[in-house]
Amino acid sequence: AQSVTQLGSHVSVSEGALVLLRCNYSSSVPPYLFWYVQYPNQGLQLLLKYTSAATLVKGINGFEAEFKKSETSFHLTKPSAHMSDAAEYFCAVTGNTGFQKLVFGTGTRLLVSP
Amino acid sequence: EAGVVQSPRYKIIEKKQPVAFWCNPISGHNTLYWYLQNLGQGPELLIRYENEEAVDDSQLPKDRFSAERLKGVDSTLKIQPAELGDSAVYLCASSLLAGGPPNEQFFGPGTRLTVL
């Protein structure tokens, strides 16, 4: 079985500051990990995914995440926040064997102030 | 390329009334998912279709929820009768394949249901 824990339901940063959204996972098999972003009244959009290739994954909009097996983490970062980054971010995990459902965390709302 | 289409976007009904949501996946995607997203929570899978077959409906409350994907393309999710606790966002997603390495799931904008 898989699960993810997202630390912090809300994260506030100033425009131009570093963004760090935390995600820790639990998986009984080697995991695939994803970050999705959800803007108000919209569906989820894939930011990036880890599928056992490079441990540092680059995504859209300047975001990246690093898979750390020893820490069971997949934290999302962006060097400089923009006002348009304000949204809800979800970490998700699935197993890499056959079909295993995508399990989402509870989400972190990113607030960006001028 | 058109994305996943869902309708209606918003629905307000009184409890005990029936309601239906419609989803049209991305063309060529044979796998379709329905998710439930409660306020402040991540999406939870209700049912997964591969073509017209429901291959995973273990999380679907079958006493009041039903779904169909008759021609393996668009799908309908129904609730009858609706309860207050059904107020949530219902998301539809699609992907090319469900087996093997996971393919990216593309999500629709969702239907926000309010039960009064």
Side-chain angles (χ1 to χ4, degrees), chain A residues 17-93:
Chain A
L18 171 72
V19 175
L20 171 61
L21 305 182
R22 300 179 185 274
C23 172
N24 288 89
Y25 70 90
S26 173
S27 180
S28 55
V29 298
Y32 288 157
L33 293 153
F34 305 80
W35 276 100
Y36 282 86
V37 61
Q38 187 175 34
Y39 297 101
N41 299 316
Q42 294 187 28
L44 280 71
Q45 178 183 6
L46 183 67
L47 277 177
L48 48 80
K49 61 183 177 183
Y50 166 76
T51 56
S52 73
T55 56
L56 182 61
V57 181
K58 295 186 182 299
I60 62 172
N61 302 338
F63 285 93
E64 63 181 36
E66 186 172 8
F67 173 71
K68 293 186 177 180
K69 184 177 179 180
S70 61
E71 299 177 7
T72 62
S73 69
F74 191 58
H75 302 330
L76 182 71
T77 61
K78 183 174 181 178
S80 177
H82 192 272
M83 295 295 290
S84 61
D85 295 327
E88 188 92 20
Y89 292 80
F90 292 94
C91 182
V93 65

Side-chain angles (χ1 to χ4, degrees), chain B:
Chain B
E1 176 182 278
V4 176
V5 179
Q6 290 188 248
S7 69
R9 292 293 314 277
Y10 305 91
K11 188 73 175 179
I12 301 174
I13 61 172
E14 294 188 348
K15 63 181 180 181
K16 300 185 181 180
Q17 294 300 305
V19 64
F21 315 126
W22 176 81
C23 172
N24 187 261
I26 292 173
S27 178
H29 283 192
N30 64 338
T31 305
L32 184 146
Y33 313 77
W34 282 103
Y35 286 89
L36 166 68
Q37 185 177 21
N38 286 305
L39 186 65
Q41 300 294 317
E44 299 176 20
L45 181 68
L46 287 173
I47 188 169
R48 172 172 65 96
Y49 281 93
E50 290 188 14
N51 299 307
E52 63 274 8
E53 182 181 358
V55 295
D56 183 0
D57 63 355
S58 57
Q59 301 302 311
L60 189 72
K62 299 182 182 63
D63 57 336
R64 298 184 299 108
F65 286 66
S66 63
E68 60 183 15
R69 193 184 185 199
L70 293 176
K71 296 184 178 180
V73 180
D74 55 353
S75 176
T76 302
L77 178 69
K78 299 178 181 178
I79 308 175
Q80 182 171 13
E83 298 180 351
L84 295 177
D86 296 331
S87 296
V89 176
Y90 293 82
L91 294 166
C92 179
S94 70
S95 67
L96 279 171
L97 291 171
N103 289 275
E104 177 181 350
Q105 293 185 28
F106 294 81
F107 284 81
T111 297
R112 182 176 298 275
L113 174 67
T114 301
V115 182
L116 303 176

